[in-house]
CSV table of all heavy atoms in Angstrom, one decimal:
chain,number,residue,atom,x,y,z
V,58,ARG,N,47.2,195.3,163.6
V,58,ARG,CA,46.4,194.1,164.1
V,58,ARG,C,47.4,193.3,165.0
V,58,ARG,O,48.2,192.6,164.5
V,58,ARG,CB,45.9,193.3,162.9
V,58,ARG,CG,44.8,194.0,162.1
V,58,ARG,CD,44.4,193.3,160.9
V,58,ARG,NE,45.4,193.2,159.9
V,58,ARG,CZ,45.7,194.1,158.9
V,58,ARG,NH1,45.0,195.2,158.9
V,58,ARG,NH2,46.7,193.9,158.1
V,105,ARG,N,52.8,185.1,151.0
V,105,ARG,CA,51.9,184.8,152.2
V,105,ARG,C,51.6,183.3,152.2
V,105,ARG,O,51.5,182.7,151.2
V,105,ARG,CB,50.6,185.6,152.1
V,105,ARG,CG,50.7,187.1,152.3
V,105,ARG,CD,49.4,187.7,152.7
V,105,ARG,NE,49.3,189.1,152.6
V,105,ARG,CZ,48.3,189.8,153.0
V,105,ARG,NH1,47.2,189.2,153.5
V,105,ARG,NH2,48.3,191.1,152.9
V,109,THR,N,46.1,182.7,153.5
V,109,THR,CA,46.1,184.0,154.1
V,109,THR,C,46.2,185.1,153.1
V,109,THR,O,46.4,186.2,153.5
V,109,THR,CB,47.2,184.1,155.2
V,109,THR,OG1,48.5,184.0,154.5
V,109,THR,CG2,47.1,183.0,156.2
V,120,GLU,N,53.9,189.6,151.7
V,120,GLU,CA,54.0,190.4,153.0
V,120,GLU,C,55.5,190.7,153.3
V,120,GLU,O,56.4,189.9,152.8
V,120,GLU,CB,53.3,189.8,154.1
V,120,GLU,CG,53.8,188.4,154.5
V,120,GLU,CD,52.9,187.6,155.4
V,120,GLU,OE1,51.8,188.1,155.7
V,120,GLU,OE2,53.2,186.5,155.8
V,136,PRO,N,42.0,213.4,163.9
V,136,PRO,CA,40.6,214.0,164.0
V,136,PRO,C,39.6,213.2,163.2
V,136,PRO,O,38.4,213.4,163.4
V,136,PRO,CB,40.8,215.4,163.4
V,136,PRO,CG,42.1,215.3,162.6
V,136,PRO,CD,42.9,214.2,163.2
V,143,PHE,N,34.6,206.0,155.9
V,143,PHE,CA,34.0,206.8,156.9
V,143,PHE,C,33.7,208.2,156.4
V,143,PHE,O,34.6,208.9,155.9
V,143,PHE,CB,34.9,207.0,158.1
V,143,PHE,CG,35.2,205.7,158.8
V,143,PHE,CD1,36.2,204.8,158.4
V,143,PHE,CD2,34.4,205.3,159.9
V,143,PHE,CE1,36.5,203.6,159.0
V,143,PHE,CE2,34.7,204.0,160.5
V,143,PHE,CZ,35.7,203.2,160.1
V,248,GLU,N,32.2,236.5,143.4
V,248,GLU,CA,30.8,236.3,143.5
V,248,GLU,C,30.5,235.2,144.5
V,248,GLU,O,31.4,234.5,144.9
V,248,GLU,CB,30.2,236.0,142.1
V,248,GLU,CG,30.4,237.1,141.0
V,248,GLU,CD,29.6,238.3,141.3
V,248,GLU,OE1,28.6,238.2,142.2
V,248,GLU,OE2,29.9,239.4,140.7
V,249,ASP,N,29.2,235.0,144.7
V,249,ASP,CA,28.8,234.0,145.7
V,249,ASP,C,29.1,232.6,145.3
V,249,ASP,O,29.2,232.3,144.1
V,249,ASP,CB,27.3,234.1,146.1
V,249,ASP,CG,27.0,235.4,146.9
V,249,ASP,OD1,28.0,236.0,147.3
V,249,ASP,OD2,25.8,235.7,147.0
V,467,PRO,N,24.7,242.9,127.2
V,467,PRO,CA,25.5,242.0,126.4
V,467,PRO,C,25.6,240.7,127.1
V,467,PRO,O,25.9,240.6,128.3
V,467,PRO,CB,26.9,242.7,126.3
V,467,PRO,CG,26.8,243.8,127.3
V,467,PRO,CD,25.4,244.1,127.6
V,469,HIS,N,27.8,238.3,126.3
V,469,HIS,CA,29.2,237.9,126.4
V,469,HIS,C,30.1,239.2,126.5
V,469,HIS,O,29.6,240.3,126.6
V,469,HIS,CB,29.6,237.1,125.2
V,469,HIS,CG,29.1,235.7,125.2
V,469,HIS,ND1,29.9,234.7,125.6
V,469,HIS,CD2,27.9,235.2,124.9
V,469,HIS,CE1,29.1,233.5,125.5
V,469,HIS,NE2,27.9,233.9,125.1
V,577,GLN,N,31.9,228.5,151.8
V,577,GLN,CA,31.0,229.3,151.1
V,577,GLN,C,31.1,230.8,151.5
V,577,GLN,O,30.8,231.7,150.7
V,577,GLN,CB,29.6,228.9,151.5
V,577,GLN,CG,28.6,228.9,150.3
V,577,GLN,CD,27.4,228.1,150.6
V,577,GLN,OE1,26.7,228.3,151.6
V,577,GLN,NE2,27.0,227.2,149.7
E,11,U,P,35.5,216.2,166.9
E,11,U,OP1,35.5,217.4,166.1
E,11,U,OP2,34.5,216.1,168.0
E,11,U,O5',35.5,214.9,166.0
E,11,U,C5',36.3,214.8,164.9
E,11,U,C4',35.9,213.6,164.1
E,11,U,O4',36.2,212.4,164.9
E,11,U,C3',34.5,213.5,163.7
E,11,U,O3',34.1,214.2,162.6
E,11,U,C2',34.3,212.0,163.5
E,11,U,O2',34.9,211.6,162.2
E,11,U,C1',35.3,211.4,164.6
E,11,U,N1,34.5,211.1,165.8
E,11,U,C2,33.8,209.9,165.8
E,11,U,O2,33.7,209.1,164.8
E,11,U,N3,33.1,209.6,166.9
E,11,U,C4,33.1,210.3,168.1
E,11,U,O4,32.5,210.0,169.1
E,11,U,C5,33.9,211.6,168.0
E,11,U,C6,34.5,211.9,166.9
E,12,G,P,32.6,214.9,162.6
E,12,G,OP1,32.6,215.8,161.4
E,12,G,OP2,32.3,215.4,163.9
E,12,G,O5',31.7,213.6,162.3
E,12,G,C5',31.8,213.0,161.0
E,12,G,C4',31.0,211.7,161.0
E,12,G,O4',31.5,210.8,162.0
E,12,G,C3',29.6,211.8,161.3
E,12,G,O3',28.8,212.3,160.3
E,12,G,C2',29.2,210.4,161.7
E,12,G,O2',29.1,209.6,160.5
E,12,G,C1',30.5,210.0,162.4
E,12,G,N9,30.3,210.1,163.9
E,12,G,C8,30.7,211.1,164.7
E,12,G,N7,30.4,210.9,165.9
E,12,G,C5,29.7,209.7,165.9
E,12,G,C6,29.1,209.0,167.0
E,12,G,O6,29.0,209.3,168.2
E,12,G,N1,28.5,207.8,166.5
E,12,G,C2,28.5,207.4,165.2
E,12,G,N2,27.9,206.2,165.0
E,12,G,N3,29.1,208.1,164.2
E,12,G,C4,29.6,209.2,164.7
E,36,G,P,46.9,182.2,165.1
E,36,G,OP1,45.7,182.3,166.0
E,36,G,OP2,47.4,180.9,164.8
E,36,G,O5',46.6,182.9,163.7
E,36,G,C5',46.1,184.3,163.7
E,36,G,C4',46.0,184.7,162.3
E,36,G,O4',47.4,185.1,161.8
E,36,G,C3',45.5,183.7,161.3
E,36,G,O3',44.8,184.4,160.3
E,36,G,C2',46.8,183.2,160.7
E,36,G,O2',46.6,182.6,159.4
E,36,G,C1',47.6,184.4,160.6
E,36,G,N9,49.1,184.2,160.6
E,36,G,C8,49.9,183.4,161.4
E,36,G,N7,51.1,183.4,161.0
E,36,G,C5,51.2,184.2,159.9
E,36,G,C6,52.2,184.5,159.0
E,36,G,O6,53.4,184.2,159.1
E,36,G,N1,51.8,185.3,158.0
E,36,G,C2,50.5,185.7,157.7
E,36,G,N2,50.3,186.4,156.6
E,36,G,N3,49.5,185.4,158.5
E,36,G,C4,49.9,184.6,159.6
E,37,U,P,43.2,184.4,160.3
E,37,U,OP1,42.7,183.6,161.4
E,37,U,OP2,42.8,184.0,158.9
E,37,U,O5',42.8,185.9,160.5
E,37,U,C5',42.7,186.4,161.8
E,37,U,C4',43.2,187.8,161.9
E,37,U,O4',44.7,187.8,161.6
E,37,U,C3',42.7,188.7,160.8
E,37,U,O3',41.4,189.3,161.2
E,37,U,C2',43.8,189.8,160.8
E,37,U,O2',43.7,190.7,161.9
E,37,U,C1',45.0,189.0,161.0
E,37,U,N1,45.7,188.6,159.7
E,37,U,C2,46.4,189.6,159.1
E,37,U,O2,46.5,190.8,159.6
E,37,U,N3,47.0,189.3,157.9
E,37,U,C4,47.0,188.1,157.3
E,37,U,O4,47.6,187.9,156.3
E,37,U,C5,46.3,187.1,158.0
E,37,U,C6,45.7,187.4,159.2
E,38,C,P,40.3,189.5,160.1
E,38,C,OP1,39.2,190.1,160.8
E,38,C,OP2,40.2,188.3,159.3
E,38,C,O5',41.0,190.6,159.2
E,38,C,C5',41.1,192.0,159.7
E,38,C,C4',41.9,192.7,158.7
E,38,C,O4',43.2,192.1,158.4
E,38,C,C3',41.3,192.9,157.3
E,38,C,O3',40.4,193.9,157.3
E,38,C,C2',42.5,193.2,156.4
E,38,C,O2',42.9,194.5,156.5
E,38,C,C1',43.6,192.3,157.1
E,38,C,N1,43.9,191.0,156.5
E,38,C,C2,44.7,191.0,155.4
E,38,C,O2,45.2,192.1,155.0
E,38,C,N3,45.0,189.8,154.8
E,38,C,C4,44.5,188.7,155.2
E,38,C,N4,44.8,187.6,154.6
E,38,C,C5,43.6,188.7,156.4
E,38,C,C6,43.3,189.9,156.9
E,39,A,P,39.3,194.2,156.2
E,39,A,OP1,38.2,193.3,156.5
E,39,A,OP2,40.0,194.1,154.9
E,39,A,O5',38.9,195.7,156.6
E,39,A,C5',39.9,196.7,156.7
E,39,A,C4',39.6,197.4,158.0
E,39,A,O4',38.4,198.2,157.9
E,39,A,C3',39.5,196.6,159.3
E,39,A,O3',40.0,197.3,160.4
E,39,A,C2',38.0,196.5,159.4
E,39,A,O2',37.5,196.3,160.8
E,39,A,C1',37.5,197.9,159.0
E,39,A,N9,36.2,197.9,158.5
E,39,A,C8,35.5,197.0,157.7
E,39,A,N7,34.3,197.4,157.5
E,39,A,C5,34.2,198.6,158.0
E,39,A,C6,33.1,199.6,158.0
E,39,A,N6,31.9,199.3,157.5
E,39,A,N1,33.3,200.7,158.7
E,39,A,C2,34.5,200.9,159.3
E,39,A,N3,35.6,200.1,159.3
E,39,A,C4,35.3,199.0,158.6
E,70,U,P,31.8,229.2,157.4
E,70,U,OP1,33.2,229.3,156.8
E,70,U,OP2,30.8,230.3,157.0
E,70,U,O5',31.1,227.8,157.1
E,70,U,C5',31.9,226.6,157.3
E,70,U,C4',31.0,225.4,157.1
E,70,U,O4',29.9,225.5,158.0
E,70,U,C3',30.3,225.3,155.7
E,70,U,O3',31.1,224.8,154.7
E,70,U,C2',29.1,224.4,156.1
E,70,U,O2',29.5,223.1,156.2
E,70,U,C1',28.7,224.9,157.5
E,70,U,N1,27.7,226.0,157.4
E,70,U,C2,26.4,225.5,157.3
E,70,U,O2,26.1,224.4,157.2
E,70,U,N3,25.4,226.6,157.3
E,70,U,C4,25.7,227.9,157.4
E,70,U,O4,24.7,228.7,157.4
E,70,U,C5,27.1,228.3,157.5
E,70,U,C6,28.0,227.3,157.5
E,71,C,P,30.9,225.3,153.2
E,71,C,OP1,32.1,224.9,152.5
E,71,C,OP2,30.5,226.7,153.2
E,71,C,O5',29.7,224.5,152.7
E,71,C,C5',29.8,223.0,152.6
E,71,C,C4',28.5,222.4,152.4
E,71,C,O4',27.6,222.7,153.6
E,71,C,C3',27.6,222.9,151.2
E,71,C,O3',28.0,222.3,150.0
E,71,C,C2',26.2,222.5,151.7
E,71,C,O2',26.0,221.1,151.5
E,71,C,C1',26.3,222.8,153.1
E,71,C,N1,25.8,224.2,153.5
E,71,C,C2,24.4,224.4,153.6
E,71,C,O2,23.6,223.4,153.4
E,71,C,N3,23.9,225.6,153.9
E,71,C,C4,24.7,226.6,154.0
E,71,C,N4,24.2,227.8,154.3
E,71,C,C5,26.1,226.5,153.9
E,71,C,C6,26.6,225.2,153.6
E,75,G,P,18.6,232.1,139.4
E,75,G,OP1,17.9,232.4,138.1
E,75,G,OP2,19.8,231.4,139.4
E,75,G,O5',18.8,233.5,140.1
E,75,G,C5',17.8,234.6,140.1
E,75,G,C4',18.2,235.7,140.9
E,75,G,O4',18.5,235.2,142.3
E,75,G,C3',19.5,236.4,140.6
E,75,G,O3',19.3,237.4,139.5
E,75,G,C2',19.9,237.0,141.9
E,75,G,O2',19.2,238.2,142.1
E,75,G,C1',19.5,236.0,142.9
E,75,G,N9,20.6,235.0,143.1
E,75,G,C8,20.8,233.7,142.6
E,75,G,N7,21.9,233.2,143.0
E,75,G,C5,22.5,234.1,143.8
E,75,G,C6,23.8,234.1,144.5
E,75,G,O6,24.6,233.2,144.5
E,75,G,N1,24.0,235.3,145.1
E,75,G,C2,23.2,236.4,145.1
E,75,G,N2,23.6,237.5,145.8
E,75,G,N3,22.0,236.5,144.5
E,75,G,C4,21.8,235.3,143.8
E,76,C,P,20.3,237.4,138.3
E,76,C,OP1,19.9,238.6,137.5
E,76,C,OP2,20.2,236.1,137.6
E,76,C,O5',21.7,237.6,138.9
E,76,C,C5',22.1,238.9,139.4
E,76,C,C4',23.4,238.8,140.1
E,76,C,O4',23.3,237.8,141.1
E,76,C,C3',24.6,238.2,139.2
E,76,C,O3',25.2,239.2,138.4
E,76,C,C2',25.5,237.7,140.3
E,76,C,O2',26.3,238.7,140.9
E,76,C,C1',24.6,237.0,141.3
E,76,C,N1,24.3,235.6,141.0
E,76,C,C2,25.2,234.7,141.4
E,76,C,O2,26.2,235.1,142.0
E,76,C,N3,25.0,233.4,141.1
E,76,C,C4,23.9,233.0,140.4
E,76,C,N4,23.8,231.7,140.2
E,76,C,C5,23.0,233.9,140.0
E,76,C,C6,23.2,235.2,140.3
E,78,A,P,30.3,236.6,134.1
E,78,A,OP1,29.1,235.8,133.8
E,78,A,OP2,31.6,236.2,133.9
E,78,A,O5',30.1,238.0,133.4
E,78,A,C5',28.9,238.8,133.6
E,78,A,C4',28.8,239.8,132.4
E,78,A,O4',30.0,240.3,132.1
E,78,A,C3',28.2,239.1,131.2
E,78,A,O3',27.4,240.0,130.5
E,78,A,C2',29.5,238.9,130.3
E,78,A,O2',29.2,238.9,129.0
E,78,A,C1',30.3,240.2,130.7
E,78,A,N9,31.7,240.1,130.5
E,78,A,C8,32.5,241.1,130.0
E,78,A,N7,33.8,240.7,129.9
E,78,A,C5,33.8,239.4,130.3
E,78,A,C6,34.8,238.5,130.5
E,78,A,N6,36.1,238.8,130.2
E,78,A,N1,34.5,237.3,130.9
E,78,A,C2,33.3,237.0,131.3
E,78,A,N3,32.2,237.8,131.2
E,78,A,C4,32.5,239.0,130.7
Side-chain angles (χ1 to χ4, degrees):
Chain V
R58 293 177 291 277
R105 292 201 191 186
T109 66
E120 59 193 5
F143 297 86
E248 297 292 346
D249 288 349
H469 283 262
Q577 220 164 52

